[in-house]
Amino acid sequence: PKIHHFLGLIHFQKKNYSEAQNHYLKSIELKPGYTPYINRLGSFYYDLGQLETAQIQFQNSLKLNSNQAKIWLLSGLTSLRLNNLQNALRSMESVLRLEPTNSMAVNIVKKLKTALKVNSNDAK
């Protein structure tokens, strides 16, 4: 699995996305449940703008290990890009439970709470 993961990284850098995906998937097939490989696949989809697919991978990884601040952050950023503010807020709050001083999450939580408050006031 390590070799396939490494080959995936190389193909991604060379913009051979189909080959990269094949190698990432093979690394997961050979070592299922190994969150670093799942996370890399999620990041791969995120980088390609396949946000729904990326989110599925991040959620799969978080089901296996919910103590991954970086993956909560990526999941939150993905939710933001998908305009799902409630999910983004929950993800960022999970980041802060694990890393209370994460400045990116702190700033995003403040902005999301303001945006959600404005949106709820608009609905009234």
Side-chain angles (χ1 to χ4, degrees):
K2 284 182 184 179
I3 292 170
H4 284 286
H5 183 75
F6 185 68
L7 288 171
L9 293 170
I10 291 171
H11 283 288
F12 181 76
Q13 289 175 342
K14 292 182 174 189
K15 298 184 177 20
N16 297 330
Y17 300 128
S18 179
E19 281 298 311
Q21 179 181 21
N22 290 339
H23 285 290
Y24 291 143
L25 290 169
K26 187 67 173 176
S27 69
I28 293 168
E29 178 187 323
L30 293 171
K31 194 166 184 177
Y34 187 61
T35 57
Y37 295 163
I38 299 167
N39 297 343
R40 181 59 235 153
L41 183 62
S43 295
F44 167 77
Y45 290 129
Y46 182 89
D47 291 342
L48 294 182
Q50 297 176 20
L51 301 177
E52 292 87 359
T53 307
Q55 190 68 287
I56 290 167
Q57 296 305 317
F58 296 144
Q59 293 305 310
N60 288 341
S61 182
L62 290 166
K63 285 177 190 170
L64 294 167
N65 178 2
S66 63
N67 293 321
Q68 303 178 86
K70 180 180 177 182
I71 303 309
W72 279 114
L73 185 66
L74 286 169
S75 179
L77 292 172
T78 303
S79 291
L80 274 175
R81 288 184 62 193
L82 291 167
N83 203 31
N84 189 332
L85 302 185
Q86 290 289 348
N87 279 350
L89 179 60
R90 282 191 290 275
S91 293
M92 293 303 168
E93 288 174 337
S94 293
V95 172
L96 294 178
R97 276 194 293 282
L98 297 167
E99 294 180 359
T101 59
N102 185 305
S103 60
M104 180 184 280
V106 167
N107 290 332
I108 292 172
V109 165
K110 285 179 188 174
K111 290 176 182 175
L112 282 170
K113 285 184 175 181
T114 299
L116 290 167
K117 187 176 184 180
V118 167
N119 287 343
S120 69
N121 287 338
D122 288 346
K124 291 179 183 178

